[in-house]
Amino acid sequence: MRIFIYLILATACLAGCTASSDKEKAKDTEKPVETTDTTAVLIMQLQRCSKLYTAEYDIHKIITHSDEKRLKGKLLNHEFDVKMPLGDRKIAIPILVKLKAYIDFANFSKEDIRQEGDKIEILLPDPQVAVTSSSVDHEEIREYVDITRSRFSDAELSDYERQGREAVIKAIPETGIFSTARDNAAQLIIPMIVKMGYDEKNITVTFRKDHQWKVLSTKD
């Protein structure tokens, strides 16, 4: 009977030690939970984008130019300005200017992110626009030259193209490309933030009130 009791006690002690050992092993294998800095991750991902292209416009413009030969002078104290016959020269030049709008994240930093509880606000840099190319549709050029006039030279055509390109650049704010670039940027960035655990309704993407839009004449 004593031997039987001793066996029971020994088994209980062994089971207790085994359970204790298992708990210790479980503690040893448990790893501390690593908290991810979502702000740092977001900054890294956006900076990795460098230039986030969000809009592309093809602008078609027809440049027109006309000149005529006129005879000007003074006769018997009277000035005269007479159009010469067969002296007209006209031209219409269609050009295509390609614009690309993008957000430059080179200087994006923690100061551009505001967090309050489960809400987050992203202050994005102002959109920039690059004129990536401009070309003349030579097949669609329409030219009218009277027999007494010479045709337009290559130098004149190049100058008219330059003038047309400058006119397109000047009118860029009126095209709406900046607004499109901002809207598309928000639509691209919000899903990135949602993947980090934020609810879409708690995400706000804003731009500076004092817009500093830039137009660059570069080719990618």
Side-chain angles (χ1 to χ4, degrees):
M1 189 66 178
R2 289 180 181 177
I3 294 173
F4 180 70
I5 293 173
Y6 288 151
L7 287 174
I8 292 175
L9 291 175
T11 304
C13 291
L14 182 60
C17 291
T18 303
S20 176
S21 177
D22 291 341
K23 289 181 181 179
E24 293 296 329
K25 288 181 180 179
K27 289 181 180 180
D28 292 339
T29 55
E30 287 181 357
K31 294 182 178 180
V33 178
E34 297 181 359
T35 57
T36 304
D37 186 352
T38 56
T39 301
V41 172
L42 180 60
I43 292 173
M44 181 182 66
Q45 289 188 354
L46 292 178
Q47 287 180 342
R48 188 181 299 170
C49 293
S50 182
K51 292 181 180 180
L52 179 63
Y53 286 90
T54 57
E56 181 175 331
Y57 278 22
D58 289 332
I59 307 296
H60 295 265
K61 184 176 181 62
I62 297 179
I63 307 161
T64 59
H65 177 80
S66 63
D67 60 60
E68 55 188 21
K69 284 289 186 180
R70 303 189 69 87
L71 181 61
K72 299 180 182 181
K74 193 172 184 179
L75 180 63
L76 299 176
N77 294 325
H78 293 282
E79 294 183 354
F80 61 87
D81 183 356
V82 180
K83 178 184 175 183
M84 297 292 291
L86 303 177
D88 288 344
R89 193 173 69 147
K90 302 177 182 179
I91 193 168
I93 308 171
I95 67 170
L96 173 63
V97 180
K98 186 177 290 292
L99 309 176
K100 287 186 178 182
Y102 63 90
I103 307 295
D104 190 351
F105 288 101
N107 298 319
F108 190 80
S109 65
K110 189 174 182 179
E111 283 68 29
D112 299 313
I113 301 177
R114 300 168 186 168
Q115 290 177 292
E116 185 177 348
D118 57 355
K119 296 183 179 180
I120 185 170
E121 179 182 0
I122 309 298
L123 182 62
L124 292 182
D126 297 322
Q128 300 183 26
V129 173
V131 181
T132 59
S133 66
S134 64
S135 60
V136 174
D137 188 352
H138 292 279
E139 294 183 358
E140 294 299 322
I141 292 178
R142 296 293 179 264
E143 185 177 3
Y144 172 78
V145 180
D146 277 334
I147 58 175
T148 61
R149 302 293 304 275
S150 60
R151 299 192 62 179
F152 291 92
S153 65
D154 291 340
E156 287 176 312
L157 295 178
S158 297
D159 187 53
Y160 299 149
E161 179 192 356
R162 178 188 58 78
Q163 293 178 25
R165 188 169 182 266
E166 291 176 354
V168 170
I169 292 174
K170 187 176 180 180
I172 282 177
E174 302 172 9
T175 64
I177 190 171
F178 290 108
S179 298
T180 302
R182 288 181 298 184
D183 294 341
N184 291 347
Q187 293 178 11
L188 290 171
I189 289 173
I190 287 176
M192 295 172 56
I193 305 174
V194 170
K195 289 182 179 179
M196 295 180 180
Y198 288 92
D199 194 330
E200 185 173 346
K201 66 181 180 182
N202 294 328
I203 302 171
T204 304
V205 177
T206 60
F207 289 83
R208 293 172 178 81
K209 294 182 180 179
D210 54 335
H211 305 297
Q212 296 179 352
W213 296 330
K214 295 181 181 179
V215 178
L216 305 176
S217 298
T218 58
K219 293 183 179 181
D220 298 80

